[in-house]
Structure formats: C-alpha cells, structure tokens
Amino acid sequence: MDLGISGKRALVCASSKGLGRGCAEALAEAGCTLVMNARGSEALESAAADIRAAHGVEVVTVAADIVDPDGRARVLEAAGQVDILVTNAGGPPPGIWSDWDRQDFLDALDGSMLTPIALMQALMPAMISRGWGRVVNITSRSVKSPLLNLGLSNSARAGLTGFVAGTSRQVADKGVIINNLLPGVHDTDRIGQLDRVTSEREGISMEEARRRGEARIPAGRYGRADEFGKMCAFLCSAHAGYIVGQNIVLDGGETFATI
Ligand code: NAP
C-alpha cells in the first residue's frame, strides 16, 4: 500500500533505538525525510546512517535531551516545519506509590506529558496553516490498564491522554490528526531493563523472567519495533484522516478488554 506521505518531513523524537527507531524506519520506508533525535550521538548517527543507506532519504540528526527545554529548542530549530511529529522519550522508572516524592512526579510529568505537549504546541500551528499534519504520541498500555510496578507512568501518561482527547478534536477539521500508540511489551532495551528488575526481585534468570513475561501475552511473544513502526506510519499516512484521538493498543492481546 502506498501510504501517500512520500516527501513529507517527519520529526521522530527519541529514535536511535527501540520503538522510536521502528517508527523512523517505517516512515523512511514510506518516503519521508527524517529529523531523528536521541541524547547519545553514537547510536543516533549509526541509526541515521543505516536508514539513509536502506531508504535513500535525507536524515537530519540532533543529539539532545528532548525533555530538557534547551535540548528541545535545538531539536525544534533543526526540524523547522514538519508535517509529521512522533513524540517519544524514555519512560519513568519503575516503583510503587510509596517510593516517590514531589520531584519524582514532576520529572515523570516533564518527560511523559509536558514534553509531548510542548512539541505539539510548537509544531501544530504550522501544520494547521498548511492544512495537513499528523501526530503520533508513543505512550503505553498502562493508559488503558495500570501496570502495578509503573505507577509514575500510569500517572503521567494519563495526563497526556487527557490532553490529546480534547485537542485532537479541536484540530481534526484543520487537517491535523493526533493519535496515541500504546505499546505493550516490545523487545527493546527498555524491556531488557524491566526484565532485569524482575529477575533480581524474584531471584530468577533473565531468560526465566522473559519466559514468564511472554507467557502472559496471548500472542505468546514480545512485540517487535518494526511492526510497531509500521502501525505508526499508517497513522501518519494519507489514509488516517478519519482516525481521531484514538488510543491504539499494540500488546499482543495482553490487556483484557472487550472494546
Ligand atoms: P529504548 O529501547 O530504551 O529506546 C529509547 C530511545 O529513546 C533511545 O533511542 C534513547 O536514546 C532515546 N531517549 C530516551 N530518553 C531520551 C530523551 N530524554 N531525549 C532524547 N532521546 C531519548 O525504549 P523503548 O522500549 O523504545 O521505549 C520507548 C517509550 O515507550 C518509553 O517511554 C517507554 O516507557 C515506552 N514503552 C515501551 C514499552 C516496551 O515494551 N518497549 C512498553 C510500554 C511503553 P538515548 O538514550 O541515547 O537518549
């Protein structure tokens, strides 16, 4: 299927690895030029080189912390006007309600709610004036069903979800389409870290932690960044103009719900 976005310019935040990289790859495959970002430059440059070689598209890189206002300003300056925005950053650390103080909550809100909102506020006015734009926020299935060891994520991502629920309906008639993608367990560095926490807490091997994790998922496996990226590219496509303010769960069926 031609996604109808060849030549569009996409900013994909936090995209040197994992889910962000999967989105960058799929958008490049669809013919988009890219602005890619991550804090570490080595993995970022390597990912950008791979994508240029595989898809022949222009890729601009900005090594910066997207959560830090100065870093975000550098990314926005390099990005200029973009047609497509994919927001992403590292998730809050695991823990439970009694672990955190006010600063921990503020940090989680900064990374998982206020940063994507700031990016949308910066980039959507130009999308609106051109009459076309796409925003995909990478959130988490914790928005639909709380993850008991990720209370900061449950809390902060709920705030972003509320913002998108209203705002997506205020900009859809201007051609700007906002949706959220909610990953369940995907095979990335982040999940390796969470498996490590489980293995240490339960006194089991990493392999056993993963086996137990996969056994909880009806699809019987962890998800892959490339299949996540293809869904992201579809939501950014010319064909997604009637999908507004949705929270699409990609979790192999792990969240039990009828609708
Ligand atoms: P990952 O494999 O650890 O990759 C994270 C990517 O983001 C890396 O490229 C990292 O590069 C970059 N990054 C992290 N913090 C950044 C920042 N402040 N500024 C700029 N770049 C940053 O993580 P992932 O699994 O793809 O997860 C992505 C998001 O999805 C996270 O918020 C995570 O909580 C959420 N999520 C993931 C899963 C899953 O199963 N993987 C499930 C639910 C939710 P640098 O470190 O060099 O900056």
Side-chain angles (χ1 to χ4, degrees):
M1 185 194 303
D2 178 358
L3 295 183
I5 50 175
S6 184
K8 300 281 190 199
R9 185 172 172 85
L11 167 58
V12 187
C13 301
S15 56
S16 65
K17 298 178 188 168
L19 304 179
R21 176 164 178 173
C23 297
E25 289 269 1
L27 288 166
E29 191 181 346
C32 295
T33 64
L34 296 181
V35 182
M36 292 176 64
N37 151 258
R39 292 165 303 184
S41 60
E42 197 176 324
L44 179 63
E45 293 308 331
S46 160
D50 289 350
I51 289 175
R52 285 186 202 107
H55 305 291
V57 297
E58 180 198 339
V59 183
V60 172
T61 55
V62 189
D65 185 339
I66 198 69
V67 179
D68 172 62
D70 293 337
R72 190 161 58 245
R74 284 201 291 119
V75 172
L76 287 169
E77 190 182 348
Q81 286 195 354
V82 301
D83 307 293
I84 292 168
L85 165 66
V86 180
T87 77
N88 185 31
I96 64 161
W97 60 273
S98 50
D99 293 339
W100 309 305
D101 61 19
R102 175 178 164 78
Q103 192 57 48
D104 296 316
F105 282 101
L106 292 177
D107 290 345
L109 287 168
D110 241 352
S112 300
M113 176 185 175
L114 300 177
T115 292
I117 290 174
L119 289 162
M120 283 185 263
Q121 287 177 319
L123 294 171
M124 288 199 315
M127 294 180 188
I128 289 170
S129 67
R130 292 197 304 280
W132 198 95
R134 298 285 186 265
V135 178
V136 171
N137 300 295
I138 300 179
T139 68
S140 169
R141 81 180 185 94
S142 67
V143 166
K144 289 265 186 192
S145 175
L147 298 171
L148 299 187
N149 64 335
L150 286 172
L152 286 174
S153 172
N154 299 338
S155 308
R157 294 189 199 278
L160 174 63
T161 307
F163 175 85
V164 168
T167 305
S168 60
R169 288 158 172 97
Q170 293 171 308
V171 298
D173 66 342
K174 297 162 183 73
V176 178
I177 300 299
I178 315 174
N179 289 288
N180 301 322
L181 272 183
L182 283 52
V185 183
H186 282 72
D187 202 356
T188 66
D189 288 1
R190 160 90 171 162
I191 284 307
Q193 287 160 17
L194 295 179
D195 275 351
R196 185 167 305 286
V197 170
T198 305
S199 88
E200 283 165 8
R201 192 185 55 229
E202 316 259 326
I204 56 176
S205 67
M206 283 284 286
E207 292 71 27
E208 178 60 12
R210 181 176 177 128
R211 197 197 60 72
R212 290 185 191 179
E214 288 179 331
R216 282 194 293 271
I217 301 170
R221 64 174 175 87
Y222 289 176
R224 298 190 317 268
D226 67 297
E227 59 194 348
F228 185 91
K230 285 186 166 57
M231 185 61 178
C232 175
F234 182 79
L235 287 177
C236 296
S237 77
H239 315 302
Y242 210 53
I243 307 173
V244 173
Q246 297 302 299
N247 291 283
I248 297 171
V249 182
L250 297 177
D251 72 346
E254 192 177 5
T255 304
F256 272 77
T258 303
I259 58 168

